[in-house]
Structure formats: structure tokens, C-alpha cells
């Protein structure tokens, strides 16, 4: 495995933005180089230590899903090698961990699909027996499988803010009804196919977030990364039980450790900076990412 990368620093391309995990560079006017670093965020805080191999494994996973789901909707991959657009001394920073994509006009709405009740969905359900305006049957528990996957869009939050769940009606006001219906139908199809496949490999994809954009011809195109544990809730089937919060596939060791970590004798307040992760937590987390890709692709 190549050396871990906490942050890329390309001198040959202009930096567009750094997300929690990825560094994005402009390649001319019409393409973006997305580099998945080995950063890990937990409780919305980026850890100070890299998880070796994570960026590469997540990139492989996203590419696996783009390939598998290519018949449902076009995606942003150009098929060109990331190594071809950086300087020779920068190849090590992109090899195996980058995607060279078409620069699209992003829709300002995230396409969330939920097959199970979890997180903000479970919270909302307990208050209103619905999620994002979608009415649900009574009697569901935490982590219950829904009768049918539901589409629950969210607006993209500004840096540092949390995304906001919105109703389908609200989405239709923002991007138009026809496009909203198309996004909903495509997102549900993508989720159903992926979730059914993952289940045969021992992984429940409880929910996921897709992002779409329009290309120069106005064609709806799948973008960003897809169906990795960064954008989806992966649950191992072994730990699944209705009524209890299933462990996260990849982040559980880190979350458990952070929950009991102390800073100056006080529990860590879940605000940056995070306490330094111990080596065994890093290694166990890294091995979960390896295991997830192994399971999906074996
Ligand atoms: N093909 C594309 N064309 C244009 N924009 C894209 C494309 N693919 C992804 N994006 C956008 O690029 C940005 C990728 O940023 P990234 O996911 O690294 O960070 P972020 O979304 O700002 O923060 P977070 O770390 O919370 O995800 C997102 O705003 C995403 O919508
Ligand atoms: Mg993002």
C-alpha cells in the first residue's frame, strides 16, 4: 500500500475545495480531479490521523458501483487516467485514489434513499410517523426495514452546517417537478439494485445519498462518489437486529473510542480538534474498509 495521505498538495492544478475527505482540483474548465485522501470524519469532525488505504479503497468501491450501475443512468466519469493531468512528481498523490470527472452543473438537492429507518429518519418517524413528508406505517422500530425504499431529499448545507431534510414538494419548487420525479425514480432504482446486491454479500445498505448534475446537453448525470460508507449507512448483516442501533460498518471502533475519550480529564466535546486516535483503532478501522471492499467484490 502506498503511504497514507492526509492532505494532497498539487502545484500543477488550481484547488477548488477541500471537503472533509476529498480534495478537488479544476482541470481546465470542464473537468474536476477528485482525490480521496485518507482522512476520516466522525461526529462531523475530521480526525488528525489518516486511515491508511481508506482513500484508495473508497475510490475502488465508488468505481465498482459506477460500473455496476452504468446501465441505470450516465455518470460523471471521463474514463481518463488521473495520472495524465498531474505533474510527474504528483503521481503518487493520485494513483489509485482519484477520479477524473466531467464538471457538471450540480443540482442543489441531495437525493437520499432510505430502505431502513435510521438516524434523522428514525428521529423524525418517532415524532410524526413520517420521514420528509412520506407517511409510514405505525409500529416501526429503530433500524426497521421499510415496506418500500423511500426518497427523502435534502438541501446541501454550506460548509460546516448539517444538511436539511425537505419534502418532495419542496424539492419540486427548487428544481422543477419533472426533474424531481426523474431524480427520485433513478435514485430509487440505483438504491434497490445496489442494496439487493450488497445483501447477497452480507452488507445491508440502510440508506444512501446520491448527487446528480446536468451535463452541457442537460442530461441528468450521477456524480460525486456513490455507495461508499462515506455516503451510505453500511451495516454488517451479522450485527443487525430490529430495535437496536446497528453498529456502523466502518466507523464503529472510532466512535466507540471517541465516546470514552477524555481531553484534560473531561469527555471529548465532539468539536475539533479530535483527540489523537490510538494505533490499534486506526488499524482496526483500516481493516474494516478492506473487508467491505473484499466482501462487495468477491
Ligand atoms: N462531476 C461533478 N461536477 C461538479 N461538481 C461535482 C461533481 N461531483 C461532485 N461535485 C461536487 O463537488 C463537491 C465535492 O466535495 P466533497 O464531497 O469533497 O466535499 P463537500 O461535499 O463540500 O463536503 P463533505 O466532506 O461533507 O462531503 C460537492 O459539492 C459535490 O456536489
Ligand atoms: Mg460531499
Amino acid at each position: 500500500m502506498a503511504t497514507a495521505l492526509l492532505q494532497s498538495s498539487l502545484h500543477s492544478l488550481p484547488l477548488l475545495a477541500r471537503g472533509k475527505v476529498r480534495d478537488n482540483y479544476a482541470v481546465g474548465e470542464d473537468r474536476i480531479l477528485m482525490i480521496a485522501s485518507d482522512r476520516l470524519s466522525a461526529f462531523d469532525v475530521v480526525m488528525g490521523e489518516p486511515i491508511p488505504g481508506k482513500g484508495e479503497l473508497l475510490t475502488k468501491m465508488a468505481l465498482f458501483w459506477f460500473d455496476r450501475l452504468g446501465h441505470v443512468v450516465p455518470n460523471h466519469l471521463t474514463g481518463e487516467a488521473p495520472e495524465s493531468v498531474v505533474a510527474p512528481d504528483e503521481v503518487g498523490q493520485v494513483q489509485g485514489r482519484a477520479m477524473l470527472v466531467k464538471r457538471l452543473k450540480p443540482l442543489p438537492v441531495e437525493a437520499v434513499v432510505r430502505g431502513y429507518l435510521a438516524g434523522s429518519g428514525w428521529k423524525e418517524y418517532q415524532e410524526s410517523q413520517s420521514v420528509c413528508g412520506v407517511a409510514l406505517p405505525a409500529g416501526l422500530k429503530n433500524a426497521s426495514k421499510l415496506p418500500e425504499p423511500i426518497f427523502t431529499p435534502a438541501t446541501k448545507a454550506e460548509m460546516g452546517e448539517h444538511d436539511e431534510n425537505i419534502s418532495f414538494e419542496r424539492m419540486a419548487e427548487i428544481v422543477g417537478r419533472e426533474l424531481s420525479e426523474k431524480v427520485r425514480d433513478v435514485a430509487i432504482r440505483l438504491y434497490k439494485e445496489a442494496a439487493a446486491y450488497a445483501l447477497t454479500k452480507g452488507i445491508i445498505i440502510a440508506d444512501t445519498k446520491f448527487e446528480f448534475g446536468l451535463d452541457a446537453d442537460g442530461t441528468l448525470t450521477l456524480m460525486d462518489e456513490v455507495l461508499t460508507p462515506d455516503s451510505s449507512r453500511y451495516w454488517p448483516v451479522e450485527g443487525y437486529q430490529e430495535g437496536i442501533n446497528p453498529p456502523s460498518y466502518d466507523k464503529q471502533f472510532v466512535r466507540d473510542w471517541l465516546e470514552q475519550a477524555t481531553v484534560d480529564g473531561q469527555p471529548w466535546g465532539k468539536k475539533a480538534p479530535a483527540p489523537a486516535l490510538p494505533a490499534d483503532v486506526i488499524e482496526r478501522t483500516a481493516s474494516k474498509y478492506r473487508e467491505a471492499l473484499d466482501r462487495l467484490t468477491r
Side-chain angles (χ1 to χ4, degrees):
M1 192 77 71
T3 42
L5 182 76
L6 196 55
Q7 193 176 93
S8 69
S9 54
L10 300 188
H11 55 76
S12 65
L13 296 172
L15 181 70
L16 284 173
R18 284 190 212 283
K20 285 196 283 292
V21 173
R22 287 171 303 165
D23 299 335
N24 304 306
Y25 295 85
V27 180
E29 297 285 288
D30 58 349
R31 289 172 299 168
I32 301 175
L33 181 68
M34 310 187 94
I35 304 180
S37 73
D38 296 320
R39 295 193 289 274
L40 173 84
S41 73
F43 303 119
D44 269 339
V45 174
V46 179
M47 303 295 114
E49 300 73 35
I51 306 297
K54 177 179 182 253
E56 191 174 333
L57 289 160
L58 288 200
T59 300
K60 290 214 168 81
M61 232 182 269
L63 293 174
F64 167 80
W65 287 119
F66 275 129
D67 182 48
R68 225 190 138 78
L69 298 168
H71 64 284
V72 178
V73 65
N75 63 55
H76 67 168
L77 296 177
T78 60
E80 300 161 293
E83 291 81 355
S84 68
V85 294
V86 298
D89 65 320
E90 297 169 332
V91 166
Q93 294 183 61
V94 299
Q95 222 157 31
R97 63 164 79 247
M99 298 190 298
L100 184 51
V101 304
K102 284 185 220 168
R103 190 166 186 167
L104 304 168
K105 186 165 166 266
L107 300 185
V109 170
E110 306 198 322
V112 178
V113 182
R114 299 167 193 264
Y116 294 74
L117 264 189
S120 67
W122 167 235
K123 213 167 163 184
E124 223 183 298
Y125 175 82
Q126 289 169 280
E127 287 154 11
S128 64
Q129 207 183 300
S130 66
V131 181
C132 295
V134 182
L136 291 169
L140 297 178
K141 298 180 185 147
N142 191 5
S144 286
K145 186 169 200 261
L146 299 173
E148 270 298 306
I150 57 172
F151 179 69
T152 61
T155 53
K156 284 190 202 180
E158 295 299 317
M159 192 84 174
E161 301 286 310
H162 289 283
D163 298 344
E164 190 194 338
N165 289 345
I166 57 172
S167 65
F168 182 79
E169 289 309 312
R170 178 74 193 120
M171 176 174 173
E173 283 166 19
I174 299 170
V175 302
R177 181 161 301 272
E178 206 180 319
L179 186 55
S180 298
E181 283 172 357
K182 183 147 189 215
V183 167
R184 178 187 61 195
D185 294 350
V186 167
I188 287 181
R189 249 186 94 189
L190 291 169
Y191 171 79
K192 278 188 173 171
E193 274 203 35
Y197 173 83
L199 198 56
T200 68
K201 306 290 181 178
I203 293 172
I204 294 170
I205 302 179
D207 53 35
T208 194
K209 174 213 68 172
F210 298 109
E211 295 191 34
F212 291 91
L214 301 176
D215 73 4
D217 305 325
T219 303
L220 183 69
T221 308
L222 183 60
M223 61 176 213
D224 210 55
E225 57 99 312
V226 281
L227 292 157
T228 72
D230 274 357
S231 60
S232 320
R233 267 196 187 82
Y234 272 43
W235 293 338
V237 281
E238 318 83 79
Y240 176 72
Q241 201 188 323
E242 231 184 337
I244 59 170
N245 219 6
S248 148
Y249 198 97
D250 53 320
K251 291 187 181 171
Q252 206 58 40
F253 292 129
V254 172
R255 288 189 190 149
D256 290 349
W257 184 81
L258 287 170
E259 291 281 11
Q260 57 78 58
T262 55
V263 179
D264 299 330
Q266 299 294 318
W268 177 56
K270 297 183 181 164
K271 290 199 175 63
L277 297 175
D280 69 305
V281 173
I282 293 174
E283 175 41 39
R284 288 165 86 185
T285 302
S287 81
K288 291 308 276 185
Y289 287 106
R290 291 194 292 270
E291 184 192 296
L293 182 68
D294 281 353
R295 278 203 192 188
L296 282 177
T297 56
R298 79 182 160 213

